[in-house]
Structures are given as C-alpha cells and as structure tokens.
Amino acid sequence: MRKDFYIFRHGETDENLAGRWQGCGVDFPLNQTGLFQAKTLADRLQYKGIEIIYSSPLKRAYQTAEVVAAKCNVKIITMSEFTEGCLGVCEGMYKKDIATKYPDIWDAWYSDDMNMETRWPGGESKQEMQQRMSRGIEKLLSVPQKIIGVASHSGSMRYFLYKFGYGPHKMPNTALFHLIYENGEWTLEQL
C-alpha cells in the first residue's frame, strides 16, 4: 500500500508579518500576500492528483486549503490534529517580547539540539505536537484516498517532520512537503 501526503503550511497573515505568535488560540485570516501565496501553492499542487484535503480548523490554514481545494476540485475535512501547537501564555505576544521575557525557553525552542520536551508556560511540548500530528496522519492511512493534502502550521509541521529527518528549521509560509508511506516505510521530500 502506498499513500502520498502533500503537507503544506498556510499563507501569510498580518500577525505573521507583524511578528506576533498566533498558536492555536489566536485565529486570524490570510492577508492579501497570504492569498497570493495560497494561489501559487494551488498551482504547484494542481496536477499532483490530490483526492482530498484535511485541514486544521484555524482560519489561516483552512483558507489556504480552500484555495488549493478549488484548484484541485476536491473537498476539505477539518481535523483538530493538524492545528497549530498550543503556545500557552505566549499566544498573541510579539516574538521580540517572548525572547525578552523567556530567554532560556526561546533559546531552547530554536536550538539545533531539538529538545522535544521544550514547551512554553501553559503550552504543548514539541513532542506533544509531534505526537498529535502523527496521530492525525496515522488516521489517514485508513481512508480510501491515496493522495492526500494536509493544511497545517509551522510549529506542528516542523516537529512532526523532524521524525523523518527535517529540521530544526524555521518554515516559510506555504512551505510544501511530500511524505510518502509505502510498505511500512516513510520517505520525506521537501518541495
């Protein structure tokens, strides 16, 4: 059995542009640049044979999924497993303020050693994000569709994809990855 997953990050929001962390609790739509990015992503995905898209329920991911779904003529189903990580008390804060208020956690969060236990006060750890995304992808192994789009977020995607050798890199808006499951083996390609 083979399954192909095209996993993509949402387009830009005004909060991304301003350097404000959204997490799972701050829900803003795409801005004009984000809509353009989503259209460009849709053009890239149009001929990949995507049969369905599973999306985070947050506006920025769902709007990106809508643009891709329209181009690919497929439906969207939301799954909470693909939402952004809970960043606890840091949700809605500016990055510069987070780095000042929590310098040790900030350094650990962006460290190359990828300590998966790192978390913000009141938030999910990197490992919890990875496990949540993994549960979502594992559920999709049993759906009938073979080529599946997944709309998600930078933090959750980054720590999930770390399992397959990606990281620890920051992820641009509409970053796209091709994750293949075949005969019990996983292969990851960054597109």
Side-chain angles (χ1 to χ4, degrees):
M1 172 183 80
R2 175 173 167 146
K3 293 266 187 172
D4 290 79
F5 299 95
Y6 288 93
I7 304 171
F8 52 91
R9 184 184 178 203
H10 61 80
E12 183 184 84
T13 68
D14 285 340
E15 303 310 296
N16 292 142
L17 192 59
R20 183 178 287 193
W21 270 11
Q22 296 168 95
C24 66
V26 178
D27 196 10
F28 283 91
L30 299 179
N31 61 21
Q32 288 303 310
T33 298
L35 289 169
F36 176 78
Q37 291 168 336
K39 289 175 186 170
T40 301
L41 175 66
D43 289 342
R44 292 178 68 197
L45 289 170
Q46 181 178 10
Y47 300 109
K48 299 293 186 187
I50 291 174
E51 301 167 72
I52 192 167
I53 297 174
Y54 288 86
S55 176
S56 157
L58 296 175
K59 289 175 191 171
R60 56 197 184 270
Y62 193 82
Q63 280 185 302
T64 304
E66 284 181 314
V67 174
V68 174
K71 191 77 159 187
C72 296
N73 195 29
V74 298
K75 73 176 186 173
I76 305 168
I77 296 174
T78 59
M79 284 182 66
S80 61
E81 288 90 341
F82 300 137
T83 195
E84 181 59 293
C86 175
L87 304 176
V89 298
C90 295
E91 293 193 2
M93 290 179 64
Y94 289 99
K95 291 179 185 179
K96 61 181 175 52
D97 296 334
I98 297 167
T100 301
K101 188 168 182 175
Y102 301 104
D104 293 341
I105 301 173
W106 181 266
D107 290 344
W109 194 257
Y110 287 110
S111 170
D112 287 349
D113 72 8
M114 286 297 279
N115 177 347
M116 297 297 283
E117 294 303 316
T118 304
R119 73 175 68 236
W120 301 99
E124 280 182 292
S125 71
K126 294 176 183 181
Q127 184 171 17
E128 289 166 339
M129 288 184 211
Q130 183 185 77
Q131 291 168 342
R132 177 173 43 76
M133 286 281 293
S134 292
R135 283 191 304 272
I137 293 293
E138 286 168 14
K139 286 180 183 179
L140 299 184
L141 290 176
S142 64
V143 301
Q145 295 86 2
K146 302 292 185 204
I147 304 174
I148 299 167
V150 176
S152 191
H153 305 266
S154 64
S156 291
M157 285 174 59
R158 183 168 53 246
Y159 305 122
F160 169 65
L161 296 174
Y162 181 65
K163 275 177 78 163
F164 307 102
Y166 177 80
H169 311 294
K170 292 185 180 178
M171 189 174 291
N173 291 104
T174 62
L176 175 62
F177 297 85
H178 182 201
L179 182 63
I180 302 162
Y181 176 82
E182 188 168 22
N183 300 320
E185 299 290 324
W186 294 93
T187 307
L188 178 67
E189 303 171 348
Q190 184 175 359
L191 302 177

